[in-house]
Amino acid sequence: MANWDEFFAKEQAPANLKEVKSTINAFAASHRSAGRDIVFVTSGGTRVPLEENAVRFIDNFSIGTRGASSVEYFLEQGYAVIFLHRQGSLQPFSRNFPSHDILDLLQLKDLPDGSNQLEVNPCKVAKLSKVLKMYRQVRVSGTLLMIEFNSLFEYLFLLRGVAESLACHGPNVMLYLAAAVSDFYIPSQSRPQHKISSEVPLQLNLVQVPKMMTPLVKEWIPRAFTVSFKLETDVNIISKKARQSLAKYSHQNFANIEFKLNANINLVVKVVVSNILQTRKKTVVMITPTQERAIWMSDSELEAGQEIEEKIVADLKEMHQQFIASSSPRASNT
Ligand code: PAZ
């Protein structure tokens, strides 16, 4: 048994898995028949419980900025978006108004009769109107489907479930895997049932989470356009690590594709977006089997409130469209 199969056999699936899969099937079918491509965005950090009745967890830094902002740009680009995000992490649209700023959005106007009227702070009107307009369009078109996870286990079961449900839509699906997924966990059989005692020093024995990219691109959804993110803190190793990841999972062994590819077409099937923790909002490197290209933000762009995700998404959309065109039977050598 592969180590990922063992993982899924031993850990508990989320109770809503079946329901999520049927929601995805209906969402994807209706948007594909309306001619929309689909992007599956993952976002936020996974939580690893230390106990069965979990009081303590191992967590990570990610609050889901990249995922939530990318969703807005994918929606603008005409995609139908499935957003698998950590509960409580940032969400598209509302992320523009952090909860600590919410009271600054509003103001009380004093009326002549001594009462007050609540109104939007004039200096926030432009931003709020822009976001509200986008939000309303998305609500009307139904192009955003939100799914929550909390633990590493929920995330991985849902990742597999959503990927399998989308597999029938072939190259018209993009996977955009921005979640920060734990590399280590405590298997169910080793997790203590109750709260770990604080009377002795704690020694944790964590095991490695199986690398799910392998079954993802080989078994669950082999014909999708796959984008994964690679995060490091050491600039000296990032490029090597990202290239290793690309080589290892890159990707569709072409035997899986039923039609023959035109030999002249340079088909990019897998992109690794590499980023450094400290500079991730300013620069990323897009790595494909044939290219390594930086996307970066100038200081003036950042000062103007522009976001790197807008450029990343535009770049990926172009590659995805080429991928779809190259994957169509008409592009094949018959
Ligand atoms: O959530 P965020 O915006 O704070 O951070 C985004 C990110 C750094 C988690 C993402 O860009 C990323 O690199 N995700 C993959 C992490 C990894 O498993 O290597």
Side-chain angles (χ1 to χ4, degrees), residues 42-223:
T42 72
S43 180
T46 59
R47 209 155 80 138
V48 173
L50 301 191
E51 301 115 341
E52 209 42 39
N53 294 308
V55 173
R56 301 188 182 90
F57 302 86
I58 299 174
D59 213 330
N60 67 55
F61 72 96
S62 169
I63 55 160
T65 311
R66 173 143 291 152
S69 56
S70 302
V71 167
E72 291 175 16
Y73 297 114
F74 277 119
L75 289 164
E76 266 178 29
Q77 293 280 3
Y79 280 87
V81 183
I82 297 163
F83 183 48
L84 177 62
H85 62 285
R86 164 78 178 270
Q87 193 177 51
S89 65
L90 292 183
Q91 300 196 2
F93 309 115
S94 65
R95 73 175 179 106
N96 294 286
F97 306 101
S99 53
H100 60 268
D101 284 353
I102 204 83
L103 295 177
D104 290 334
L105 267 185
L106 304 169
Q107 66 182 27
L108 276 180
K109 188 177 167 193
D110 295 325
L111 297 179
D113 65 1
S115 65
N116 296 124
Q117 184 178 304
L118 194 60
E119 60 180 32
V120 175
N121 186 334
C123 63
K124 306 279 180 184
V125 166
K127 189 171 178 192
L128 188 60
S129 309
K130 186 173 163 228
V131 174
L132 265 180
K133 209 168 144 196
M134 263 175 18
Y135 174 72
R136 220 173 38 189
Q137 274 167 5
V138 169
R139 287 297 293 264
V140 170
S141 59
T143 42
L144 175 60
L145 179 64
M146 313 262 278
I147 306 167
E148 284 185 350
F149 68 86
N150 241 315
S151 69
L152 171 74
F153 309 111
E154 287 167 352
Y155 173 80
L156 290 176
F157 273 98
L158 289 165
L159 176 72
R160 182 178 68 168
V162 175
E164 285 175 344
S165 298
L166 293 176
C168 60
H169 301 290
N172 293 89
V173 176
M174 184 195 304
L175 310 179
Y176 184 88
L177 308 172
V181 184
S182 175
D183 289 318
F184 306 99
Y185 78 116
I186 303 177
S188 58
Q189 74 270 20
S190 315
R191 283 197 294 274
Q193 185 67 19
H194 295 293
K195 185 184 167 197
I196 298 168
S197 162
S198 58
E199 279 159 29
V200 283
L202 176 61
Q203 281 200 331
L204 291 176
N205 192 8
L206 301 172
V207 304
Q208 278 173 294
V209 176
K211 300 286 179 210
M212 297 296 180
M213 280 303 288
T214 302
L216 181 83
V217 301
K218 294 210 156 87
E219 293 176 11
W220 306 340
I221 183 160
R223 292 183 57 205

Side-chain angles (χ1 to χ4, degrees), residues 43-45 60-67 177-181 183 228-232 273 275 277 280-281 309:
S43 180
N60 67 55
F61 72 96
S62 169
I63 55 160
T65 311
R66 173 143 291 152
L177 308 172
V181 184
D183 289 318
S228 61
F229 283 78
K230 184 85 201 146
L231 176 77
E232 293 293 343
V273 184
N275 54 170
L277 182 68
R280 66 191 189 281
K281 294 187 180 173
E309 287 76 14

